[in-house]
């Protein structure tokens, strides 16, 4: 849901800066940017959730969300919350960019 909020807000700002119809490339870049922002903000929660699911029984420091967060930051630094982000960004940003281009083009075709 966050990517849609970012997309719509950025789209409104871009329409003010660039009056007229936005291009395919505009929508593609807006979609990619919105997913990038959403992923950067939500990825630590996904990391914690995954670690809890996998390690909760094996490691007592992963008893709950707060303790898992503290254990990751203590043992791996803040950057540990973002392990694996590179591959996630490539996959999800490209998919979101295509999704938003398709959505906007269908919307303009229908309405």
């Amino acid at each position: 849901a966050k990517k849609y909020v970012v997309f719509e807000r950025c789209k409104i700002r871009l329409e003010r800066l660039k009056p007229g119809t936005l291009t395919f490339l505009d929508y593609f870049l807006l979609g990619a940017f919105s997913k990038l922002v959403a992923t950067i903000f939500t990825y630590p929660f996904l990391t914690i959730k995954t670690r809890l699911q996998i390690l909760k029984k094996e490691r007592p420091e992963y008893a709950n969300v707060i303790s898992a967060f503290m254990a990751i930051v203590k043992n791996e630094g803040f950057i540990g919350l973002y392990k694996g982000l590179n591959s996630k960004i490539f996959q999800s940003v490209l998919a979101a960019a295509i999704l938003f281009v398709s959505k906007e083009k269908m919307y303009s075709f229908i309405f």
Side-chain angles (χ1 to χ4, degrees):
K2 288 163 189 51
K3 68 183 173 193
Y4 293 104
V5 173
V6 173
F7 178 83
E8 290 300 328
R9 289 186 185 241
C10 289
K11 182 176 132 184
I12 290 167
R13 288 191 178 161
L14 186 59
E15 287 171 338
R16 286 184 196 148
L17 293 172
K18 186 179 172 183
T21 305
L22 297 179
T23 66
F24 172 88
L25 181 61
D26 294 329
Y27 290 124
F28 186 86
L29 294 175
L30 282 172
F33 178 74
S34 64
K35 183 58 178 179
L36 177 65
V37 170
T39 300
I40 287 171
F41 281 108
T42 60
Y43 198 77
F45 298 105
L46 295 173
T47 300
I48 292 169
K49 181 187 89 155
T50 302
R51 300 267 183 106
L52 282 171
Q53 290 172 336
I54 295 171
L55 300 173
K56 191 172 185 177
K57 294 177 185 171
E58 299 170 17
R59 297 180 58 187
E61 66 265 28
Y62 289 95
N64 58 48
V65 173
I66 302 296
S67 64
F69 173 81
M70 299 300 279
I72 293 169
V73 172
K74 179 182 174 188
N75 297 329
E76 303 170 44
F78 195 72
I79 201 77
L81 295 169
Y82 290 94
K83 275 190 176 173
L85 180 64
N86 295 344
S87 59
K88 177 69 174 173
I89 282 182
F90 180 74
Q91 173 259 328
S92 62
V93 167
L94 183 60
I98 293 168
L99 170 86
F100 281 110
V101 165
S102 302
K103 178 184 93 63
E104 290 298 323
K105 290 301 176 183
M106 282 197 284
Y107 183 80
S108 66
F109 178 73
I110 293 170
F111 300 103

